[in-house]
């Protein structure tokens, strides 16, 4: 009987932990009718609506060089560096998953 209570407690705790990290913010970057730049701006607007600690799941269907630039910029701007960042850059589809830091890092200005 004690073993059953223990298993139920572990099961209950695992569901609670899973629920806390189950917030996912999915974004697609695709070219459909707009330019790739418009698609990227649209993606940034959607990311800005996500909450801190959401898992950003971004899929890009743009050309590989363009996807590399956009995903790198998203990593530097929105991802927490003390959590895992996963990227897959491919000629067909590129993906990024990371934990959202809540607000965008400010853009650095370089002096000439």
């Amino acid at each position: 009987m004690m073993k059953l209570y223990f298993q139920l407690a572990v099961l209950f705790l695992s569901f609670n932990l899973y629920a806390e990290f189950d917030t996912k913010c999915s974004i697609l970057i695709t070219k459909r009718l707009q330019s790739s730049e418009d698609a990227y701006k649209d993606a940034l607007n959607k990311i800005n609506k996500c909450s801190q600690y959401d898992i950003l799941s971004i899929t890009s269907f743009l050309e590989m060089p363009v996807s590399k630039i956009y995903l790198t910029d998203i990593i530097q701007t929105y991802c927490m560096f003390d959590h895992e960042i996963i990227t897959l850059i491919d000629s067909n589809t590129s993906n990024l998953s990371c934990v959202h830091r809540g607000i965008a890092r400010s853009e650095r200005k370089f002096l000439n």
Side-chain angles (χ1 to χ4, degrees):
M1 188 67 154
M2 185 67 149
K3 185 177 179 182
L4 178 64
Y5 286 130
F6 179 73
Q7 288 175 337
L8 287 174
V10 169
L11 185 63
F12 176 74
L13 288 175
S14 65
F15 281 127
N16 273 346
L17 289 175
Y18 179 73
E20 288 178 25
F21 296 101
D22 191 32
T23 53
K24 186 175 183 180
C25 192
S26 298
I27 312 291
L28 289 177
I29 304 174
T30 182
K31 229 191 328 195
R32 296 189 193 183
L33 299 174
Q34 69 269 39
S35 72
S36 61
E37 184 176 319
D38 291 339
Y40 182 62
K41 287 179 183 177
D42 184 49
L44 294 180
N45 289 332
K46 289 177 183 175
I47 291 171
N48 285 325
K49 293 177 185 173
C50 299
S51 301
Q52 185 175 20
Y53 301 113
D54 280 356
I55 303 300
L56 294 179
S57 177
I58 298 157
T59 303
S60 173
F61 293 102
L62 303 176
E63 298 81 20
M64 185 169 49
V66 175
S67 289
K68 268 186 183 180
I69 292 169
Y70 288 167
L71 294 182
T72 300
D73 184 58
I74 291 169
I75 289 170
Q76 293 174 348
T77 307
Y78 294 99
C79 294
M80 288 186 170
F81 294 137
D82 58 344
H83 289 67
E84 189 169 8
I85 298 172
I86 300 169
T87 58
L88 171 66
I89 309 245
D90 192 303
S91 59
N92 298 319
T93 306
S94 298
N95 297 290
L96 164 67
S97 292
C98 70
V99 178
H100 189 353
R101 69 184 307 270
I103 56 170
R105 287 182 180 86
S106 58
E107 191 174 316
R108 296 178 300 201
K109 305 283 183 198
F110 296 103
L111 299 174
N112 291 335

